[in-house]
Amino acid sequence: MLLEVDNLRTHFRVGRDQVAKAVDGISFQLAQGKTLALVGESGCGKSQTAFSIMRLIAENGFHPSGNIRFDRKNLSSLTEDEMRVIRGNDIAMIFQEPMTSLNPLYRIGNQLEEPLRIHRMMQKIPARKRAIELLDRVGIPDPERRVDDFPHQLSGGMKQRVMIAMALSCEPKLLIADEPTTALDVTIQAQVLRLMADLQQQNGMAILLITHDMGIVNQMADRICIMYAGKIVEQGSREQIFDNLSHPYTRRLFESIPKPGDAPYLLNTIPGMVPPATEYGEGCLFADRCQYTMEVCRVRDSAPYMIDKNHSVNCHLYESGPPQKMTEDSVRRPAPKKVQDSQSLLSIHALRTWFPVRKGIFRRVAEYVKAVDNVDLEIKRGSTVALVGESGCGKTTLGESILRLNREARGSVLFKNVDVMKLRTRELKKIRQHMQIIFQDPFGSLSPRMRIRDIVGEGLEVHFPHLDEKEVDAKVASMLMEVGLDESVAERYPHEFSGGQRQRISIARSLILEPEFLVLDEPTSALDVSVQAQVLNLLRELQSKRSLTYLFITHNLSVVQYFSDVVAIMYLGRIVEYAPASELFSNPRHPYTRTLLEAVPSLGPRKPFEPITGDVPSPLNPPAGCHFHPRCPLLRDEPENSPLRRKCQSQYPEKTRRGESFVACHAAE
């Protein structure tokens, strides 16, 4: 075995007399050339396990027990100088957030050359040559020029690929990948996963993959460890886990994932939260959230029981063999019915948001970034329209432009037959009561200095100044309870809540004004699958109860299939396909839509990752003709002078309509 972790405990001293048991007695093995996935909710100890292997835990951390053996060396007994030789050379790590892992003051080339010069003793010129080769290998276009860029000049996907290039520069024996694709689009995600799989096959590298995305686990992992509250509750091969979900926590995690056919039902959620690491008590730590809890569960933790060879589960239900009731299907709750109107609540025509780029001494406008470029969209009352596309295609800018949060927005946005674009400041302020937005980052959009009562009630003070303090408090308390929070949280601050709770506070802040239209900008992208299921259920229940209309901005296609009525696919500032969700997923017509769907890691049979070639072009200088033609798979085998290729390179396609659906593609004509 390349890596052997035995009874590892990683604890942290918190305050005078508290100890946080982040990792509390875990054991696993990883063979050369294999992939082990660590899966669980946030706060389960996955990342601290990785930091423990790298010997990078914080100063207040310590190991009460445990051994970590890597390549026959006991890492726990090595000095810091000896560990420094191993880090980046034999063991490399890709961190979750690439921007915070790359030094903004140094060029990409300098950061890539550093491990080569330290570990491989390379001189400047050969190290630079190797850095360019690595950038080319990870799919960075024009590597000779990009090697001199700073991190801020690269997209999120490019920064993550630079991190991978840096991690792989010394051809490590073990790669630890901590949520390597969480912040990436499905297309960039497919590129990153394909690259990792190819390099593993070429170099025989082992991968410790930390994630909560079960689709990625299914496509990448050889073995799986399910972590909960610092412990491994189930482990086995990918086939053993997926074919026989044995621990109640494993089953509930899988049930939280939106799947095809789930749309008529609410998602099964896991009640409660992972307990804080400072409050781990006796017994099974999942007992308070488990539907099968027995008296023994609260008294002592379970020993591991062997379900099959190399497949174990820590659960008292298995003391006398496989439990009968675990095989019963969970009860599905039907989703609340929503009333959809045939009339449009919002009609968007020729909407354009071009940001000027100023140059020279006199700051004259030299060109424009065409973030949103001539968009038409109809959103019917009571419906959910999903806006899907890669990062940089203009999704968020379109949502903000509809609400007139961008000064550069031009065109027509009719809300209940009133053109929002023509309203003056006072009239616009009034109509914003009925049109609200929920932002992607719930922590960044909540003021850390304000109490929850003031955050949620702030809109009432602006739009309903006649309400007295008691009436505001009553409305805030009622709204908090409606989104599933106790009214007592009103006196607390945002930092005291989990990500899912903060998103509920954001929803309460928007809904207290009783709007009719909500822009949901990636409301679940930063959440675990279990918390995501809770938020999606809440949004569906509120939509039915309040007759809300949603514009749902996301790149998570499994959520789109579950949550939306209509889907608009956006590419480089324009809508390229618009269709009902059922029609789009069963019969996508645009090659870009088909490529997006093929790039999603699924829970079904394994398939090779087939990413789109190249990156999204800059909206500052979009390609002539069809903007997608340089990356289009349909043109890959087309002769150079074929009529279709010439047409795609010279003319932007007109919309081909079929009922209420349309597609902008020459091949579809």
Side-chain angles (χ1 to χ4, degrees), residues 5 117 164 182 198 205 295 304-305 389 400 440 464 570 612:
V5 175
R117 300 187 73 175
I164 292 172
T182 295
D198 288 349
M205 175 179 66
E295 192 63 37
Y305 295 98
E400 292 172 347
Q440 178 173 356
F464 301 96
M570 196 168 187
I612 307 179

Side-chain angles (χ1 to χ4, degrees), residues 458-531:
E458 187 177 21
L460 294 175
E461 296 172 12
V462 174
H463 293 283
F464 301 96
H466 61 277
L467 294 177
D468 61 31
E469 191 173 339
K470 284 187 178 179
E471 289 174 312
V472 170
D473 286 345
K475 279 185 170 290
V476 169
S478 174
M479 193 67 248
L480 288 172
M481 292 178 72
E482 191 169 348
V483 298
L485 296 170
D486 191 88
E487 58 183 287
S488 63
V489 307
E491 298 303 315
R492 292 160 65 184
Y493 290 88
H495 72 271
E496 299 179 66
F497 297 90
S498 68
Q501 288 173 318
R502 285 198 288 263
Q503 198 61 286
R504 288 171 185 266
I505 292 165
S506 298
I507 294 169
R509 177 178 60 180
S510 297
L511 291 184
I512 200 166
L513 299 176
E514 299 184 4
E516 297 173 64
F517 174 68
L518 272 178
V519 175
L520 307 172
D521 187 7
E522 301 268 15
T524 62
S525 66
L527 306 178
D528 297 324
V529 288
S530 54
V531 182

Side-chain angles (χ1 to χ4, degrees), residues 149-405:
D149 281 354
F150 289 95
H152 73 271
Q153 296 175 273
L154 305 180
S155 68
M158 283 187 178
K159 283 196 282 276
Q160 193 65 291
R161 278 178 277 177
V162 169
M163 283 294 302
I164 292 172
M166 197 182 304
L168 299 173
S169 58
C170 295
E171 299 182 354
K173 298 175 183 177
L174 171 64
L175 175 67
I176 301 174
D178 186 4
E179 301 275 10
T181 62
T182 295
L184 304 182
D185 304 318
V186 288
T187 50
I188 304 299
Q189 175 180 271
Q191 291 179 20
V192 168
L193 295 177
R194 171 73 176 270
L195 173 68
M196 287 169 61
D198 288 349
L199 292 173
Q200 182 179 38
Q201 196 170 13
Q202 293 167 18
N203 303 338
M205 175 179 66
I207 298 176
L208 179 63
L209 178 66
I210 298 171
T211 184
H212 58 247
D213 189 321
M214 290 298 184
I216 293 175
V217 171
N218 183 43
Q219 298 297 324
M220 292 284 291
D222 298 297
R223 286 189 62 79
I224 301 171
C225 290
I226 307 292
M227 279 194 78
Y228 184 78
K231 299 185 178 183
I232 292 175
V233 296
E234 184 173 359
Q235 63 175 304
S237 69
R238 179 188 68 94
E239 294 81 4
Q240 287 171 329
I241 299 286
F242 276 77
D243 294 343
N244 183 15
L245 309 173
S246 298
H247 197 281
Y249 177 61
T250 312
R251 294 175 73 89
R252 297 304 288 265
L253 269 184
F254 273 75
E255 289 171 358
S256 300
I257 304 168
K259 305 174 194 67
D262 280 354
Y265 304 98
L266 291 175
L267 295 169
N268 283 325
T269 59
I270 308 176
M273 294 168 53
V274 180
T278 53
E279 297 177 15
Y280 292 169
E282 298 298 322
C284 174
L285 298 177
F286 188 61
D288 289 338
R289 308 175 71 189
C290 182
Q291 60 188 338
Y292 305 113
T293 301
M294 302 176 289
E295 192 63 37
V296 67
C297 299
R298 302 191 184 279
V299 177
R300 58 182 171 83
D301 200 8
S302 169
Y305 295 98
M306 298 306 295
I307 307 296
D308 200 353
K309 185 181 179 182
N310 298 324
H311 181 194
S312 65
V313 60
N314 292 48
C315 181
H316 289 296
L317 291 170
Y318 290 84
E319 283 183 4
S320 54
Q324 188 64 38
K325 59 182 177 181
M326 278 284 286
T327 60
E328 297 172 5
D329 291 331
S330 299
V331 177
R332 302 303 305 271
R333 293 178 295 154
K337 292 183 179 179
K338 54 185 178 183
V339 180
Q340 290 191 48
D341 201 327
S342 58
Q343 298 298 315
S344 291
L345 178 71
L346 215 67
S347 296
I348 300 155
H349 300 291
L351 184 61
R352 193 180 80 175
T353 307
W354 290 11
F355 296 103
V357 177
R358 301 179 186 277
K359 294 182 179 178
I361 298 173
F362 298 104
R363 311 303 294 160
R364 292 192 175 118
V365 176
E367 48 197 344
Y368 291 91
V369 175
K370 299 176 182 178
V372 177
D373 193 18
N374 199 31
V375 166
D376 297 331
L377 203 59
E378 296 287 330
I379 303 177
K380 292 183 178 178
R381 187 186 298 273
S383 68
T384 299
V385 175
L387 189 61
V388 180
E390 294 169 282
S391 292
C393 72
K395 305 187 299 295
T396 297
T397 305
L398 175 57
E400 292 172 347
S401 300
I402 290 170
L403 302 180
R404 231 181 98 182
L405 297 175

